[in-house]
Amino acid sequence: MRPRLATIAWLWVLPAFVLLGVFLVYPVVNTIYLSFFSGRGASVFVGLDNYRYLFTHPETLVVFRNNLLWLVLFTGASVGLGLILAVLSNQVRYEAVAKAIIFVPMAVSFTAAAVIWRFMYIYRPGQFEQTGVLNAAMVALGFDPVPWITNTAVNNYALIAAGIWMWTGFALVVISAGLKGIPAEVLEAARVDGANEVQIFWRVILPMLRSVMLVVAVTLTINSLKVFDLVYVMTFGNYQTDVLANRMFKEMFTFGNFGRASAVAVVLLLAIIPLMALNIRRFRREQ
Amino acid sequence: MAGVHFEHVTKRFGDFTALKEFDLEIHDREFLVLVGPSGCGKSTALRMLAGLEDITEGSIYIGDRRVNGIPAKDRDIAMVFQSYALYPHMTVFDNIAFGLRLRKTPKDELTTKVKEAATTLGVDTLLDRKPGQLSGGQRQRVAVARAIVREPQVFLLDEPLSNLDAKLRVHTRAEISKLHQRLGTTFVYVTHDQTEAMTMADRIAVMNEGIIQQVGSPQELYDEPVNVFVAGFIGSPSMNFFSAKTVENGEGVRLEGDGFAVDVPQDRAEEMRAFLDREMIFGVRPENIHDKHFVPSGITAAPTTVTVDVTEPMGNEVFLHLLAGKTMLLARVDPRTTVSADEEVEVVIDMERMHVFDPESREAVRTA
């Protein structure tokens, strides 16, 4: 007897299903399951306690605030700078060199970048000579040195600046490619139609870059939610600079509280889902 | 409305001279076509007029105004691009309205004008669509609508038909001519296609290698080309050329080519004697070579014997590819002809329509 077509079809997709099941579905389901249990020692069902803790404890609320800062500032500044630099570099002859220099941080490992920026931000109290580049510059210009890493008024921005330094090159390269894709004749048509360069930028170039910028923004937003390495190396989340991913790591490996770690993971997953949905929808539309 | 005047305009790109001492007077309300092979400088000339390229030397005037250094947006011109260059993120309405909005046209007036232009071009039902949803022909119409809506002083068209299929091209050609009549604006039209130039132009400027070869009405260029280039470029299929020496032959003269001869009857012989014993370039259009059995009356017939290489019946006429010695000649003869391939036949050249060019300067020394 010949097997039915449907049976054969199921056989073909079975390996994919098994792999996805073992490595994707099971961990997600198990993580959600674990997030309802107390982590340490004998696990006890605690219902939504882990979530309650996350959303009410002052220490974890700071984590959410920080991620929000990352999301807005890191994404906004990287996309904005990427756009400005793409447009500017498009006008100059040494474009390739300029773009390469801005792109280089992308090639540096996150850990190395974090170490570099920690050196940049070194602060020495009192009468000691400042060895951090930034503080040396501050002193040279007649300002007081700033403890960039420990001062809670500035340290989050200092970390985000390092992130922007790393990712602006990515935004620049992608947006620049989009910019090159705009036909010269369209811009000439706008010129003949009576538009000046500023009007051409706002009314023609920017709308035509919309979809490219959306891709970049979504990618960077996801990155901002997942940010880990820079924070882990530079502050380990101390001095009120903690973020979700680092918190998850801490709960898991420092405190051994896998219930809370799982809850953080679930929150991160939920935060990223809408962005993924946006990306998938766009991808489908383009097909 | 305004005329356009190019005065000794030169354009250089680095070491390359795209346009040399370009002088051209385009009259108000005229339909002028710049035609030439690719790389002849015609598009450069148009783009300089539009303000999209700097002028290296010389002056361009629109009306009485010298426009050197005046940006495109302030020249009061409109342009249709080869790729149409529509704004892909805007609807057809917004594409057409773009220039008016930049000029802060009041809303009511803007809507009226956009609809009017769209109706003229037959795209009034497409106003809500984006360019990506339109066919090539529709896009082309929107591009024209966008250009006419601003009522510019001069209307520039850069190969606007080259992306259309053959049938639509013929149709649109007629529409653009009609549009010109209706608008009564100066049109400057660039094309590499001599048929477009012939069918639409009031006057044609034929260009080659950055230099204007000849300016004149289509018929003038066809009947009296000033040099070999214009003679070969205008007219389709193009003119036949052959080198021949004029020698005395009894009462008349004889043109001796490479392996063939044409006997010139006595009444035309006198003129040909001017080039006696000199090798000249002769040019004759395909329709001026006739099957000897179907020779129209009133022509000065010069017979010659040739071999038929290929016949191409077209229905209303027959193309004969002829071998006159080593020279290939194309003839466009009466469809009743009975000649067939490989046959040796006598054809008749209309000497009245024979063009003669100097082999050195390649300029016409006598045109019929």
Side-chain angles (χ1 to χ4, degrees), chain A residues 66-67 70 74 110 159 163 221-232 243-247 268:
Chain A
N66 289 346
N67 262 104
W70 272 92
F74 167 75
F110 285 83
L159 262 58
T221 306
I222 291 173
N223 273 315
S224 76
L225 291 173
K226 296 195 309 188
V227 62
F228 171 75
D229 336 47
L230 286 175
V231 177
Y232 178 83
V243 289
L244 281 169
N246 191 60
R247 186 78 200 174
L268 250 181

Side-chain angles (χ1 to χ4, degrees), chain A residues 1-24:
Chain A
M1 209 180 88
R2 283 167 51 136
R4 283 185 37 225
L5 198 64
T7 320
I8 298 171
W10 279 110
L11 270 173
W12 282 110
V13 294
L14 192 66
F17 270 157
V18 170
L19 287 173
L20 277 176
V22 171
F23 292 107
L24 194 75

